[in-house]
Amino acid sequence: MTTAPRRPLADHRDTVGGYDLLSLLGEGGMGRVHLARHRTSGEQVALKVLRTQFVGDQEGRQRLAREVSSLQRVRSRWVAGVVDADPWGQVPWLATRYVQGPTLHDKIVNDGPLARGKAEQLASDLAEGIADCHAVGVLHRDIKPANIILDHGTPILIDFGLARVTDDPKITVTGLLIGTPGYLPPEIAVGDPATPASDVHSWAAVVTYAATGRPPFGEGNPMKLMDRARRGDHDLEGVPQPLRGVLAQALSPDPADRPTLDELREWLRTPRKLFVHKPVEQLSLSDRAEREKATTPVAPVMPVAPAGPRSVGGLEKLRRAALWLALLAFAVGVIAAFPSTGFWVVLGAAWLIRAGTLAAGDLRRWRWYRGRKWHDAPRLLIGAPWRLVRSLPKTFVVGVWGFGFVVAAVLIGFALQLSLEATLGLSGLAFVLALWTGSGRDRLRDPVTSAVRRISVRWVPWILGFAVALTLALFPLQTVSEEGSQFSGGDEPWWVELLGW
């Protein structure tokens, strides 16, 4: 347990099972954890007391008994094992080895990411600890930085509140047990049973956090984090190679595509060695079965280049920048040239993109659950009107937000005595920025950013895409330069005359 500032005891009970409770170390979903000392031996332990609502409840006691049974089978220097327990006492409790030190989460928050050598050593030690658990059929299921104590730099796994024996049928029971979004494997998030490959996924997420100071799937809304995990949309920027390639494979959304723990341990013992992981299609039927169980190594270590994120060259960055500028010029130009309809064109495009993002998310979710089907496209088409309706409220809200920025821009243009065209251009820029940064922005930004990146990878699609965007941008810009802003009906609105343009 961590050496967090000691707090007063949460209840008036000074002794539990022959242990004197010294201070409250923390709280979890199942109970409170105290620093305690045995009255006879003087040994200090981390003692977990079942929450009050579980006392006297048969199911709660059975859960604790299963946890005790699991932990008593683990013997590892990298795991805070069980010292003593009484699941059926008047006050059910569990005592584990007390580890003094900060959690990995606190260490990274206070001191920043680990250096390369220390990150690789932590990855190796953590893999060994997980392997010791798997060797006796125990899964942790909640590996995260807050559940790792650093004892003079050595990671110690704590809090097996979600641990279960792999052959325990109760592992599939959902509703009560849940992990931590961002470190929770995607298969558990959708209700599938955990496997050793699930702990491999969490191992990779923790190592990424230790090496970069950032969770691999970002932070924020738990549903978004789980969606990114299901898509394999991770950020490994800053992780040195070849470790980055290994983590990318271990974070695969498909458990069968992840390296086994024994593969990882073998590679980590020789960290300068390159790593390859055979896809399922290249394995024999018997090896495929072993891969699905993720209990034995099935792919050899061979000297090939690791699969890591593709580096972006200077020319590609320039292509991206040029495409972004062309798209921005079109959005701002159409508002400056045709203000009566330009705002609605830009807002309508944002609406359609949001609806398309909903459709893409539905398609990913369907294929995640049941694979590709012939009726995916017809189903998307039939549901298109409903997705347009679903995206309409948020689009309306962000549109109102954007028009507030437009009013502010118009007042600024009037104060600076800008021309009507320049003021409308400033208003268009403000409107676009409001849409880009407003509520639900990810549904707009993610698909547009992804499209720009894909188009900019190669010259031919970029030339075509840039030519289209530039053509669309030049028409309203030319209209503004030659004819000025064009209002529908031909007459300038009252507010233009009021402000003196």
Side-chain angles (χ1 to χ4, degrees):
M1 292 284 106
T2 182
T3 54
R6 296 183 178 181
R7 291 169 279 178
L9 294 178
D11 52 35
H12 302 293
R13 190 179 299 276
D14 297 324
T15 303
V16 173
Y19 290 88
D20 292 327
L21 305 185
L22 305 179
S23 63
L24 181 64
L25 294 176
E27 299 185 36
M30 196 171 177
R32 292 184 172 91
V33 182
H34 302 268
L35 174 62
R37 180 189 294 115
H38 195 275
R39 283 192 163 185
T40 303
S41 66
E43 180 184 14
Q44 287 190 337
V45 298
L47 191 144
K48 177 186 286 187
V49 180
L50 197 66
R51 284 189 177 276
T52 305
Q53 59 264 36
F54 290 125
V55 175
D57 181 83
Q58 188 74 6
E59 178 62 21
R61 292 176 183 269
Q62 289 176 352
R63 289 181 59 227
L64 184 58
R66 292 196 298 271
E67 180 177 354
V68 171
S69 175
S70 300
L71 281 174
Q72 286 176 333
R73 300 165 63 179
V74 178
R75 296 289 184 271
S76 174
R77 58 172 295 195
W78 295 285
V79 178
V82 170
V83 175
D84 199 359
D86 185 5
W88 303 104
Q90 182 178 2
V91 179
W93 55 271
L94 167 70
T96 62
R97 174 163 63 100
Y98 174 63
V99 183
Q100 189 171 13
T103 65
L104 177 61
H105 174 270
D106 293 341
K107 172 69 175 177
I108 300 304
V109 168
N110 294 331
D111 301 335
L114 301 182
R116 175 174 182 172
K118 292 184 177 180
E120 290 179 348
Q121 185 61 51
L122 179 134
S124 179
D125 290 345
L126 188 58
E128 295 297 332
I130 298 171
D132 288 339
C133 299
H134 290 187
V136 293
V138 174
L139 304 178
H140 191 289
R141 301 184 74 214
D142 194 24
I143 300 171
K144 59 183 179 181
N147 278 347
I148 299 171
I149 300 293
L150 296 180
D151 183 10
H152 302 289
T154 300
I156 309 295
L157 276 166
I158 65 169
D159 196 358
F160 277 67
L162 301 182
R164 288 295 178 270
V165 183
T166 55
D167 58 0
D168 184 352
K170 297 179 181 63
I171 193 172
T172 58
V173 177
T174 59
L176 186 59
L177 301 180
I178 189 63
T180 303
Y183 300 95
L184 180 69
E187 63 269 19
I188 297 181
V190 298
D192 290 340
T195 67
S198 304
D199 280 350
V200 168
H201 188 280
S202 298
W203 167 87
V206 167
V207 174
T208 301
Y209 175 77
T212 65
R214 307 183 311 274
F217 301 106
E219 298 176 316
N221 188 297
M223 297 304 296
K224 290 184 178 180
L225 299 184
M226 289 188 287
D227 180 64
R228 291 169 189 159
R230 285 195 296 267
R231 292 185 282 119
D233 183 15
H234 47 66
D235 176 15
L236 300 180
E237 187 68 31
V239 180
Q241 290 286 21
L243 182 60
R244 180 190 298 187
V246 177
L247 296 180
Q249 293 177 353
L251 289 171
S252 170
D254 187 348
D257 289 340
R258 300 171 198 159
T260 64
L261 196 58
D262 284 345
E263 287 180 297
L264 294 175
R265 292 165 65 204
E266 178 65 25
W267 182 84
L268 288 165
R269 292 187 184 116
T270 55
R272 295 187 183 277
K273 210 171 184 182
L274 297 180
F275 180 84
V276 65
H277 176 69
K278 283 186 178 180
V280 175
E281 293 78 6
Q282 298 180 12
L283 301 177
S284 65
L285 291 178
S286 59
D287 284 344
R288 290 189 189 188
E290 292 299 320
R291 173 65 60 78
E292 291 176 359
K293 295 178 181 178
T295 54
T296 57
V298 293
V301 179
M302 299 175 62
V304 299
R310 183 181 58 84
S311 59
V312 179
L315 286 177
E316 183 174 337
K317 291 180 179 179
L318 288 176
R319 293 197 294 267
R320 288 184 185 181
L323 189 55
W324 278 120
L325 288 176
L327 292 174
L328 180 63
F330 165 71
V332 174
V334 75
I335 291 176
F338 310 102
S340 301
T341 58
F343 286 106
W344 299 110
V345 169
V346 174
L347 186 61
W351 177 36
L352 293 177
I353 292 173
R354 286 173 178 271
T357 305
L358 289 176
D362 289 342
L363 180 62
R364 285 194 300 269
R365 185 165 56 254
W366 299 340
R367 290 180 173 176
W368 173 259
Y369 281 109
R370 47 147 179 82
R372 292 176 178 267
K373 299 292 183 181
W374 67 267
H375 51 74
D376 285 343
R379 186 177 179 184
L380 284 176
L381 184 62
I382 294 172
W386 170 237
R387 294 183 188 92
L388 288 171
V389 172
R390 284 174 57 193
S391 59
L392 188 59
K394 188 61 70 71
T395 304
F396 174 78
V397 171
V398 77
V400 172
W401 164 265
F403 280 114
F405 279 69
V406 170
V407 172
V410 169
L411 294 177
I412 291 174
F414 176 74
L416 296 177
Q417 297 183 348
L418 300 178
S419 65
L420 173 62
E421 290 76 15
T423 300
L424 289 174
L426 180 62
S427 301
L429 179 61
F431 189 65
V432 171
L433 291 178
L435 296 182
W436 196 253
T437 60
S439 177
R441 55 188 175 274
D442 288 346
R443 294 196 182 279
L444 175 64
R445 294 169 63 167
D446 288 353
V448 176
T449 301
S450 178
V452 169
R453 289 178 176 175
R454 289 176 181 272
I455 292 173
S456 302
V457 171
R458 294 181 178 84
W459 278 104
V460 173
W462 175 80
I463 291 174
L464 294 176
F466 181 72
V468 171
L470 187 61
T471 301
L472 292 174
L474 287 178
F475 174 68
L477 293 178
Q478 184 178 6
T479 300
V480 170
S481 63
E482 295 179 356
E483 304 177 18
S485 299
Q486 304 295 307
F487 293 90
S488 60
D491 296 328
E492 294 181 345
W494 61 269
W495 55 271
V496 174
E497 298 179 0
L498 180 64
L499 295 176
W501 279 305

